[in-house]
Amino acid sequence: MASPVTSPDEGAFKTPKNVRVRNFSSNGGTPVTIPASPFMKKLGCGTGVNVYLMDRAGKVNASPWAVKKINSKCATKQLAVYQKRLNQEAKLLKGINHPNIVGFRAFATAKDGSKCLAMEYGGEKSLNDLIEKRKEDGLEAFSAAAVEKVALHVARGLQYLHNEKRLLHGDMKSCNVVIKGDFETIKICDVGVSLQLDENMKVSDPKAEYIGTEPWKPKEALEEEGGEITDKADIFAFGLTLWEMMTLAMPHLEMLTYSFCVPEDSLEDSFDEDAYYERLGTRPALDAEALGSSYRRMVELFYLCTEEEPKKRPSASQIVQALEGNSQTPSEVIVVD
């Protein structure tokens, strides 16, 4: 007689279940239900995290949320680091309220102990996604008007972070700017590696580590430099973000640009690592003449923001003032100390 077929071990596979959790800010408040990852559309990923779209169609007049979760595949040692960053981001985001920064919605703990940060979502794509799509479509730089609109709105967000919250964003780049529609809304996201600033706009904790992302790091944030980190670190990365929109490239990685003359599988072999590291913290080349006169204001702003000496870079407030004064070029308004 054949042996009866037994069901698989219960621990081998479990059907994902919704996680019923409470809002980060509540004390016994209204529970928030966060679906398990397989039941949400994946929007993207970052270092140690995945971001999902949480559809709240069952709620009256409820807009969807973007939910950031720790990637469970991370090594055990890394999990603690990413958990700490997500905790920090939730606490910071909860105290932030600005139209150019994504809003806090909830912070949840699943039954397995994993954290879920729910944030505002409005059908956005990252600026990096738009850059990649434009490149795939064989298009050139974004219009000067689009670059200027992004510059103004991101600068307003940075002005709020620096002046009102005394926070350095710490990882400005196209991936951390989200766009809705045809630049209807422009918001900064991902404040998980932010650093506290003192009254002099310097990072207040001398032991605090500037994380950033390598191609966007200013000279003073590179390990071998060990310079003083101020609000101007964000300004350098902000300038490179505008450069991305005008070149459709990543800073200092032009040697990896696909060429029909170079087989795709040999791109890694052609990468000049020494040249790349020499360029970090410097201003990448920009063909202003090819862009044309309509880009003059943005080219000038890019040059001002990417000065190697931090004190020569404008503050976020000065950038906002320059861009809101449409009849003037940035250098006529910005007075560098």
Side-chain angles (χ1 to χ4, degrees):
M1 184 176 177
S3 301
V5 177
T6 58
S7 59
D9 178 72
E10 187 175 335
F13 178 81
K14 292 183 180 180
T15 302
K17 297 179 181 179
N18 286 353
V19 181
R20 196 168 176 80
V21 294
R22 294 191 180 277
N23 187 292
F24 174 82
S25 60
S26 66
N27 293 309
T30 305
V32 177
T33 302
I34 304 289
S37 301
F39 298 118
M40 295 189 287
K41 177 183 176 181
K42 188 174 179 179
L43 295 173
C45 58
T47 307
V49 296
N50 293 322
V51 182
Y52 301 91
L53 177 64
M54 177 178 165
D55 187 2
R56 300 172 66 239
K59 304 272 186 181
V60 179
N61 297 323
S63 58
W65 288 351
V67 176
K68 183 180 287 190
K69 287 188 171 189
I70 302 295
N71 186 339
S72 59
K73 294 181 180 179
C74 294
T76 305
K77 289 182 179 179
Q78 294 175 313
L79 280 174
V81 174
Y82 300 138
Q83 197 88 291
K84 182 179 178 180
R85 285 185 191 173
L86 195 63
N87 288 350
Q88 178 183 345
E89 183 173 7
K91 290 176 181 178
L92 290 176
L93 201 59
K94 185 172 177 286
I96 289 172
N97 182 18
H98 191 274
N100 295 122
I101 302 174
V102 294
F104 172 87
R105 293 296 178 263
F107 191 48
T109 304
K111 290 181 179 178
D112 63 1
S114 63
K115 303 292 185 181
C116 310
L117 172 58
M119 301 167 288
E120 169 188 15
Y121 177 81
E124 306 100 336
K125 289 188 175 181
S126 77
L127 179 57
N128 181 258
D129 290 337
L130 298 181
I131 289 170
E132 290 300 315
K133 180 66 167 61
R134 197 169 182 84
K135 192 159 51 176
E136 287 172 10
D137 293 344
L139 300 174
E140 296 182 347
F142 287 86
S143 70
V147 180
E148 187 160 339
K149 188 171 185 179
V150 169
L152 175 58
H153 286 259
V154 172
R156 285 172 175 166
L158 289 177
Q159 179 184 34
Y160 171 82
L161 288 176
H162 295 170
N163 295 14
E164 295 193 36
K165 292 299 176 179
R166 287 288 190 267
L167 285 173
L168 179 78
H169 182 277
D171 197 17
M172 276 306 309
K173 56 185 178 181
S174 60
C175 295
N176 288 336
V177 177
V178 288
I179 311 291
K180 178 181 178 181
D182 188 20
F183 297 95
E184 294 162 30
T185 65
I186 300 160
K187 297 174 185 278
I188 298 170
C189 66
D190 201 349
V191 296
V193 294
S194 295
L195 298 174
Q196 201 70 46
L197 297 169
D198 63 20
E199 64 277 6
N200 296 314
M201 292 295 180
K202 299 175 183 178
V203 171
S204 55
D205 182 359
K207 295 181 180 179
E209 181 185 2
Y210 180 93
I211 303 298
T213 303
E214 202 168 64
W216 289 265
K217 282 186 176 182
K219 185 76 75 175
E220 67 270 19
L222 297 174
E223 288 183 15
E224 61 271 20
E225 297 296 326
E228 186 175 68
I229 306 299
T230 68
D231 60 319
K232 302 300 179 66
D234 275 349
I235 300 303
F236 185 89
F238 164 84
L240 292 186
T241 303
L242 304 184
W243 181 89
E244 290 182 79
M245 293 188 73
M246 293 186 279
T247 64
L248 307 186
M250 285 179 64
H252 313 302
L253 289 174
E254 60 272 16
M255 64 281 287
L256 288 180
T257 302
Y258 179 77
S259 167
F260 289 107
C261 300
V262 181
E264 193 168 355
D265 59 3
S266 69
L267 282 175
E268 187 174 343
D269 295 334
S270 68
F271 177 63
D272 188 339
E273 190 171 357
D274 290 338
Y276 165 70
Y277 281 107
E278 283 178 12
R279 291 172 185 166
L280 288 181
T282 67
R283 178 191 294 138
L286 179 65
D287 191 344
E289 188 174 334
L291 285 169
S293 59
S294 63
Y295 290 85
R296 180 188 170 195
R297 282 164 58 82
M298 291 301 97
V299 169
E300 188 172 319
L301 182 59
F302 158 70
Y303 272 87
L304 288 167
C305 292
T306 53
E307 288 281 358
E308 189 171 314
E309 174 58 47
K311 290 182 179 179
K312 292 183 179 180
R313 300 172 204 153
S315 67
S317 296
Q318 288 172 320
I319 295 171
V320 171
Q321 181 187 358
L323 296 181
E324 288 179 342
N326 289 322
S327 62
Q328 298 167 302
T329 59
S331 63
E332 291 174 325
V333 175
I334 294 170
V335 179
V336 180
D337 296 334

